Each structure stands twice: as C-alpha cells, then as structure tokens.
Amino acid sequence: MLDLGFHQAAGLHSFTPQAELRMLAVVSQGNAGSGLETLWQICASLQRLGYPVVVLDGTAQETDNSPGLLHLLQHASWNDGAQLNLGATASSLAVIPAAKGLQHLSRKAGDTTRSPMENLLPYFRTYGLMVIHAPASTLGPLLTHTATVPLVVMGGGSAGVMTSYKSLKQIALHTGLPCMVAALLHSNTATERHKAQSQLMALQACAERHLGGPVRTTTIATQNPQELQRLALQLLENAGTMNGSLSALPSSTLADMPAHFVRSH
C-alpha cells in the first residue's frame, strides 16, 4: 500500500532523453557575435544532458561546397535517409547551413494546416533536439501549428530593445506565440544587471501594450555555467515534440527542478 513507485532517481528519469525529436527555436538578430556564442554554449549544455543536438543555421547559406538543408529537400536520392556529408566541418555538434532551405519551408507554410517542420522528421530522427536558428521573418511562418516558444537574445542599449520588439512582433503576427527574451550580462556587475532588467521591463511593457500578451524574460551571465544551464533547461521546457504533431513538452518534465532553474526573472 505504501509502494508509490518513487525512489531517489525518480527526478532524474524525467530528464532521460526520449525517442521523440524536439524542436527549439532561437531568433537571430543583429547581435551576431554574442548571440551565436550563447547559442553554442546552450547546445553544449543540452548535449551534456544527453540530448544529441542538430542546429539548422538560418544565417548560413547553403552552397555546393557547403551543402545544407536545401540540398536535403531538393535531392530525391537523399530521401532514403542518407546523412549530410559535412566533411571537414563535422564536429560533435552538427551545424547545417539552412538559410535557403528554411526560407523555402517558410514560403510553403501557409499552404498547409500542419507544421512544415514535420517534413524534416525523417531526416533528423536520430537526433534528440533540433535547434532552428533564423531571423524572425523566417521563423514566424515555420512556428505555425507548433507549441514551441522561441528565444530572443536581446542586445544592449535602446537599439537592442527595439530590435527585440520587432522580432516579438513578427513572431506574434504569424503565430500568436509568446517569446522568451534573454538579456546577456558579460561582466555581471550590479549596474549592468540593473540596466538589463530595466530594458527588459521596458520591452515587457511595450509588448503587453501593443502585442496584447506577456513576455517571459530572464537575465543570463554568460560567464556563469549554472545560468547558461538554466537557460538551456528553460528552452527544453519550451520545446515542441515532433512526433506527428508539434505538441508542447509535458509540464511535469520539469516539475521537480528547483524553482531557480525553471522560473523567469
């Protein structure tokens, strides 16, 4: 009667990688340097958690010398599940040029009642996580019919607030989805953190007034591995599951994590 099926490792079982392919979305903006570095750090953190990650980089163009997503979609001979030959660029983190391929899928998104990303499932089912990194104008149509909450990395100053707001607006117009906005702290001083929080509050107020919905925000010290892991776990919580329909990750998956790992600031 007292056997409830719980034990000391029960919390860890909820993080055991599952068979489904999950999709994360990261909006690329003008802050290419810091934004890309943070993206690679997030992916490394997810891989340490046991999730094989593939990144479809919508900021990198496919070429004959550097084949990518467009080649995968256009060449019927690859439809048998053959893998991309990344050659000298291959690494433990699979990064595939995808600018043209994602734009192609984005243009076709309005012609179906299903997520266009489901078409990629046969090619990447051996991975645990697919990270889509692309401009908001490309990402917006791709996220229709999904439950994925995209990440916007906010740059510094008023320009960063305006650029982030434009990205939020483009995502909202296409999908109605909320976004999570992360402000990066490079020195992590009290002054820098206070300034970043003020910018996030301004962005929240603007989004609530003009877009009609709340925005989740957080500050991340880029030199702090624990904060980067927290951001990775928040993205995992916001992922959609590509198993025939892009549904939200069950909320119970992160229910047992300490509050400071899952809440937004």
Side-chain angles (χ1 to χ4, degrees):
M1 184 177 76
L2 297 178
D3 185 7
L4 299 178
F6 295 109
H7 51 81
Q8 286 182 325
L12 295 177
H13 280 322
S14 64
F15 285 98
T16 303
Q18 305 297 311
E20 297 91 357
L21 175 63
R22 293 171 181 155
M23 185 179 79
L24 284 67
V26 180
V27 180
S28 64
Q29 299 194 104
N31 51 342
S34 58
L36 277 176
E37 181 181 354
T38 301
L39 175 61
W40 307 142
Q41 291 173 314
I42 291 170
C43 291
S45 181
L46 290 168
Q47 292 204 141
R48 285 193 294 271
L49 289 172
Y51 294 89
V53 178
V54 58
V55 179
L56 300 185
D57 188 0
T59 66
Q61 297 279 343
E62 302 93 320
T63 66
D64 290 339
N65 293 328
S66 182
L69 182 61
L70 185 65
H71 297 79
L72 186 64
L73 296 172
Q74 290 183 340
H75 292 276
S77 61
W78 290 8
N79 289 341
D80 59 359
Q83 299 294 313
L84 281 172
N85 179 14
L86 299 177
T89 64
S91 65
S92 58
L93 175 63
V95 182
I96 298 176
K100 297 177 182 178
L102 290 177
Q103 289 171 7
H104 173 73
L105 289 174
S106 183
R107 287 192 295 268
K108 295 178 60 178
D111 300 332
T112 177
T113 57
R114 299 167 59 247
S115 168
M117 303 308 296
E118 291 180 25
N119 297 328
L120 301 183
L121 182 58
Y123 305 112
F124 300 106
R125 63 171 69 252
T126 58
Y127 292 92
L129 289 168
M130 176 191 293
V131 179
I132 314 296
H133 177 241
S137 57
T138 300
L139 262 183
L142 296 178
L143 295 180
T144 56
H145 312 294
T146 78
T148 299
V149 177
L151 171 70
V152 175
V153 178
M154 188 177 73
S158 58
V161 175
M162 289 300 299
T163 301
S164 296
Y165 175 76
K166 291 178 181 178
S167 295
L168 296 179
K169 183 176 180 179
Q170 287 179 310
I171 297 294
L173 286 174
H174 283 287
T175 68
L177 290 171
C179 292
M180 182 170 70
V181 181
L184 304 182
L185 307 177
H186 300 289
S187 59
N188 196 22
T189 62
T191 300
E192 184 186 22
R193 186 173 289 272
H194 176 74
K195 183 178 180 180
Q197 289 174 340
S198 297
Q199 292 171 342
L200 288 172
M201 290 177 62
L203 180 63
Q204 280 182 313
C206 190
E208 290 177 2
R209 184 181 307 115
H210 299 290
L211 302 181
V215 176
R216 296 176 59 185
T217 63
T218 186
T219 53
I220 300 295
T222 57
Q223 304 304 315
N224 187 324
Q226 289 183 332
E227 293 202 11
L228 286 167
Q229 184 185 51
R230 171 168 60 83
L231 181 59
L233 290 171
Q234 288 176 318
L235 282 177
L236 188 58
E237 181 185 17
N238 293 337
T241 303
M242 296 177 67
N243 57 353
S245 63
L246 279 163
S247 55
L249 190 64
S251 58
S252 59
T253 303
L254 297 179
D256 294 329
M257 287 301 296
H260 67 276
F261 266 73
V262 297
R263 69 181 178 87
S264 295
H265 300 277

